[in-house]
Amino acid sequence: MLTEVLTGVTVVVGILLVITLPIAVGWRRLVTAVREAPVRIYESWPVIAVILAVLLANRVVRQQFPDGIVRLSGVFYAIEADFMLWVTSLVHEELIIYFSFVYVYGYVFLLVFPVLAYFALERAGPFQKLLVAYTLNYTIGPLIYLLVLAYGPRNMLVEIETVLYDFGPEYQHLTREVNRNTNVFPSLHTSLSVTIAIFAYQTRDRYPGWFVVAGLLGASVAVSTVYLAIHWVMDVVAGIVLAAISVAVAHHVVDDRQFVDRSRRAAVDWWRDSTVGIELREWWDGSSLATALRDRFRR
Amino acid sequence: MSGGAGRDGVDRRSVLGAGAAALAVGTSGCIDTVRSVVNGSDPTFSVSITTVPADDDRASIQIARRLEQRLEAAGANVTLDVRTYTDFLEAVLLDNDFELFVGPHPGARDPDFLYETLHSMYADEAGWQNPYGFPNVTFDDLLERQRDASPDERPAEVAAMLRAFVREKPFVPICVPEDHRLVRTDRYPGLEGTDLSSPTGYLGLDPSEPEHAETFTAIVTDSRPSVNQNPMAAEYRIHGPIPDLVYDSLAIVDGGEYRPWLAESWQWLDDDPEEPDGDAVDDSTSVPDRVDGSSAAGPTAEITIRQDCRFHDDEPVTASDVEFTYEFLRDTTLGRGDGPVPPTMYRGLGEAVHSAEVVGDRRLQVTFAAGVSVANRALTVPILPEHVWREEVESVADSNLPRRQRQWGPLSSSSVELIGSGPYTYADSDDRNHLALERFDDHFSFRVDDLPTPSVEELEFLVDPSSASAVQHVASGPVDATTSPVEPYAYGEATEVENADVQETASHRFYHVGFNVRRAPFRNPYVRRTIAQLLSPEAIVEDVFHGRARPVSVPVEESWVPADLEWRGEDPVSPFLGTDGELDEERARRAFETIGFRYDEDGQLVGN
């Protein structure tokens, strides 16, 4: 059942990207980006390597993480139960469908689109900043999960009728794969959506349309987490704070050329001198992909 | 529902006040150990209710919230303490760190389970034995009398004990839910007639096509069996057939009767050994009275184990393994600790055995410390391989001898070799995802006529915390049945699945509100009774269980309930303080005043 949901998400998001990317980015820029992909990847490879490592660690480690230490469900419940019941008392099937779609498909689209769109820009800055901000979200968020144990509203306010998993139990297979039900504070859905929206604002000259879409979609994602009773408002607020911190730090890190150069130099030294680096390089030099790439470059 | 007034007709604004209090406590850094502060500087009545989230059990959190709203309405400060199932059981059973809790209790067929559940001898132990810390020597007498009684006398003794139970309210039983399981009928015709709550339900399955005999797949909504399979780990076990498929017991319960399983037979060594049902044990042979809870010798049975039984590691199952099991259930350190360290499960059953003596390879004589009908219960404990567990105990005991059960590895560790003699062996598991059992080809059931055999090669249990999604799994095909009962909210959808049947089986599981009787206000039976009066089991059955449960005042099978305690719309001693499920706040407040509480100028309940 997980496979079906995953396939569905891949297909829907794929279609959305195929439609939106050419409109927002333009064919010419896309073609250039594909042609220059190896160079651009090389230019940003430390940032790419770090985000991949963090995503992999999230995938592998987060299920094994111990639960948080401080239990906050009771506090959130005591403060917000009334508000949650009020928000979710607006039960309309159209709203549930819209927000479910936004929460599952819209969110994935929101995550993937700017990666590709910024990759297509001539300057690497926005792309690198986005990935650094993702990295920070995916590092700080899980660290807070280690500290705070809280259940979402759906786990306490059973009478809520807009719960995503009552509407589509199959989606729980996807979210269960990604996260545990004790990890709701902060809302990573919110923090990443807001991160993306902030960047969309900052790149509005290049992608004015995307700024509008990211703003509306990001806000919808944040609202959906509450409306579908997955997150408390506190989780959303914490998500927004996390996003602001991540974006600020990402700017600082990437704009600080010295820092970037130093990291790159350290990475290159490691690549050149360490045993693992040497072995990896030998493996890479001998691989067919590297040969193919080299051939392509020469032509 | 709308946000203004709660379903229970309780003004929810008061909850906000509690929220501020909870936050104040929360920021002081110990939200999970909020104490009753009745005797402290703050005289208001504050209490926390420990329970599990909806993913683990939808009914518990709903009952807990109803209780929270009712207590708030009566002027108390209430916080909810929501924990994973394992954490919940650790807090309640092992650490006794709770004030009130709401959750299911596994219950039992025989009312004697109340002996281990409530005997004051166990009040300081960890485990399913008296987690409430209920200390009442008068009640102990009643528990012992029903336990020692001959089968003829027992109903009257049980009735007397139950009458005291409803007056004392050591905990508040709410209801016994109906157990519904969704089973597909196309691949295993006749599956609807089996009882998948019992290990025998997974034996003798008859596939319609030979290839279906390879894997039988079922859904469990509880992830704990996939995480830890130690048969002695109370915090990971509650009900369900899985450990019993791996560990044989001497007898199994089948159709309400104790039938020989690993034991070929047992004979009561009395005047009339031809009568196995216990008629031979008349008044003169019933167990003499005890002094200070120590067990006295009662009837003796000679037990014969089946021929050529083997554990999964090919070691033979002998009478000394059975003797060892009972020894382990009395003291899990096997005499290596400063004092006995009892198990956290099966405590009452172990206690029902006075002594065991091996008289042959396959024979032993067991003397019970209980009447015959309770003695039979002791035959249902899992038989552990002595060579595995003795070694485990000895290797652990060298380095860490426990003071408390909580720290004693063999009672919770997943490092114990999972070897039993049962029809299935553990094959592999993946935390929170799945657990697979493989057929044990050497099981005795293949050699004995009339016993169901493990006909399917592999039993696979998939974890899916949601009943709604479990129903989808069965409907879409690869899954044959739900091993966990379908929760009431998904019942309607379950009945609509094609090629599948909803099977209903007898259940002893009951929902209850537990008190920590060790702590100040709950020591007082009148406080417990008044809190019981805030809830209407009838209304809870209707609202939370959609009518698919039986409201109760005593947590035992209907056949044991005397006429004066039968459910007639309300509890005979602590009737609900309201009508049609709506609490009458004024009456509730007066009830608390009657038992010595006061209200301050803000309408907050203040301790006496």
Side-chain angles (χ1 to χ4, degrees), chain A residues 1 63-64 67 70-71 73-75 77-79 81-82 85-86 89 149 151 154-159 161 166 169-170 172-173 176 180-182, chain B residues 1 3 7 12 15-16 19 23 31-32 53-55 58 61-62 65 68 80-84 87 432-433 463-466 468-469 472-473 476:
Chain A
M1 204 164 285
Q63 297 286 353
Q64 321 293 331
D67 289 331
V70 187
R71 294 170 206 278
S73 316
V75 179
Y77 170 82
I79 297 168
D82 284 342
L85 289 173
W86 177 75
S89 64
L149 189 164
Y151 287 100
R154 67 179 183 87
N155 253 315
M156 302 180 76
L157 302 159
V158 180
E159 66 269 40
E161 288 170 42
D166 293 343
E170 63 274 14
Q172 200 158 5
H173 296 282
R176 222 162 73 81
R180 294 247 288 278
N181 60 0
T182 48
Chain B
M1 63 173 262
R7 181 182 284 169
R12 292 194 45 90
V15 180
L16 275 176
L23 192 62
I31 190 67
D32 54 346
D55 274 352
R58 255 190 205 225
I61 180 77
Q62 292 184 77
R65 284 187 49 226
E68 174 232 20
L80 280 181
D81 175 23
V82 185
R83 294 160 178 255
T84 64
D87 281 355
R432 299 185 183 85
N433 277 318
V463 179
D464 192 323
S466 141
S469 155
Q472 282 191 347
H473 273 299
S476 66

Side-chain angles (χ1 to χ4, degrees), chain B residues 218-478:
Chain B
I219 296 271
V220 285
T221 51
D222 181 353
S223 65
R224 291 172 305 147
S226 71
V227 176
N228 179 315
Q229 293 91 34
N230 184 330
M232 292 290 147
E235 67 272 39
Y236 291 98
R237 312 273 86 87
I238 197 168
H239 38 70
I242 295 173
D244 290 343
L245 282 164
V246 178
Y247 294 88
D248 280 326
S249 51
L250 294 171
I252 54 171
V253 179
D254 181 23
E257 297 281 323
Y258 293 96
R259 295 193 194 284
W261 183 244
L262 184 61
E264 189 176 85
S265 65
W266 57 90
Q267 294 237 302
W268 298 103
L269 302 180
D270 280 301
D271 310 327
D272 191 0
E274 297 303 306
E275 291 277 340
D277 283 344
D279 286 348
V281 185
D282 56 22
D283 291 1
S284 59
T285 54
S286 70
V287 181
D289 282 349
R290 298 148 205 257
V291 190
D292 56 273
S294 64
S295 48
T300 300
E302 177 159 308
I303 299 170
T304 310
I305 299 170
R306 289 188 198 276
Q307 239 163 355
D308 298 328
C309 289
R310 303 217 161 245
F311 285 109
H312 301 151
D313 59 357
D314 212 33
E315 293 287 324
V317 183
T318 65
S320 64
D321 290 304
V322 178
E323 186 203 21
F324 169 82
T325 300
Y326 288 122
E327 184 192 347
F328 183 78
L329 290 182
R330 265 194 307 277
D331 175 10
T332 57
T333 67
L334 306 172
R336 292 170 150 261
D338 293 339
V341 173
T344 51
M345 302 169 72
Y346 306 113
R347 178 67 165 121
L349 304 189
E351 193 84 7
V353 171
H354 177 268
S355 57
E357 191 189 343
V358 175
V359 293
D361 235 18
R362 291 164 44 220
R363 269 173 226 285
L364 76 164
Q365 289 186 356
V366 176
T367 302
F368 294 92
V372 166
S373 56
V374 172
N376 279 319
R377 286 186 73 212
L379 302 176
T380 62
V381 301
I383 299 303
L384 306 174
E386 178 175 9
H387 62 282
V388 171
W389 285 77
R390 189 175 287 283
E391 192 182 313
E392 173 74 18
V393 168
E394 284 172 3
S395 71
V396 183
D398 287 340
S399 54
N400 99 43
L401 265 178
R403 288 229 178 69
R404 284 176 52 87
Q405 294 143 286
R406 181 78 156 89
Q407 298 139 0
W408 183 225
L411 297 184
S412 61
S413 129
S414 47
S415 73
V416 184
E417 255 189 295
L418 299 166
I419 288 171
S421 60
Y424 282 91
T425 66
Y426 285 115
D428 68 297
S429 64
D430 178 13
D431 280 12
R432 299 185 183 85
N433 277 318
H434 91 289
L435 171 72
L437 305 184
E438 221 165 61
R439 177 164 67 197
F440 178 47
D441 291 322
D442 223 4
H443 192 251
F444 63 78
S445 58
F446 287 110
R447 300 189 300 269
V448 181
D449 291 341
D450 305 330
L451 285 184
T453 57
S455 51
V456 178
E457 266 172 47
E458 189 188 64
L459 300 179
E460 184 175 35
F461 297 95
L462 300 177
V463 179
D464 192 323
S466 141
S467 276
S469 155
V471 168
Q472 282 191 347
H473 273 299
V474 176
S476 66

Side-chain angles (χ1 to χ4, degrees), chain B residues 113-184:
Chain B
F113 85 91
L114 287 170
Y115 178 86
E116 68 221 48
T117 307
L118 293 171
H119 199 290
S120 59
M121 185 165 55
Y122 305 133
D124 290 328
E125 290 185 12
W128 280 108
Q129 56 270 36
N130 204 346
Y132 321 95
F134 177 65
N136 188 317
V137 282
T138 322
F139 195 74
D140 291 346
D141 284 343
L142 297 167
L143 288 169
E144 284 162 21
R145 287 175 68 98
Q146 67 79 30
R147 169 164 265 219
D148 299 341
S150 71
D152 295 343
E153 305 166 321
R154 233 183 129 216
E157 297 291 357
V158 168
M161 183 263 290
L162 294 177
R163 284 187 193 105
F165 174 91
V166 291
R167 294 175 54 79
E168 280 289 337
K169 282 280 180 306
F171 57 82
V172 186
I174 307 276
C175 62
V176 176
E178 295 170 6
D179 269 4
H180 298 285
R181 288 177 176 78
L182 182 61
V183 297
R184 279 189 82 91

